Amino acid sequence: SKTITVLGSTGSIGVQTLDVAERYGYKVEGISAYSNVRLAEEQCRKFGIKKVWKKEELKSFQKKVRE
């Protein structure tokens, strides 16, 4: 079984990626979401996801990478 993390899971490509993951039996370990918190919560329940990165954490990470 393969495990993936989906960055931008609430965007169109992220949603499609999760559809493919479900179809082929991939385990989704984590997701990141920018603004659609409601959809991210639904994805967490559907896939049993425990690791979620949200907008503020991603901005902080981007800032650290740039320094």
Side-chain angles (χ1 to χ4, degrees):
S1 168
K2 297 196 181 208
T3 303
I4 62 171
T5 297
V6 179
L7 305 178
S9 69
T10 59
S12 61
I13 293 172
V15 169
Q16 291 173 20
T17 300
L18 290 173
D19 287 343
V20 171
E22 182 177 33
R23 186 176 312 135
Y24 290 98
Y26 283 55
K27 180 181 186 297
V28 181
E29 183 174 303
I31 60 171
S32 73
Y34 190 75
S35 61
N36 193 340
V37 176
R38 180 170 289 149
L39 179 55
E41 289 172 346
E42 290 173 17
Q43 291 169 339
C44 286
R45 282 192 293 276
K46 181 175 184 177
F47 289 93
I49 297 167
K50 304 283 187 229
K51 297 178 184 175
V52 180
W53 293 269
K54 58 185 186 225
K55 171 176 56 175
E56 293 81 14
E57 294 165 329
L58 294 172
K59 284 184 177 180
S60 174
F61 176 74
Q62 288 173 336
K63 183 178 177 185
K64 287 178 186 177
V65 169
R66 288 186 199 131
E67 293 175 346

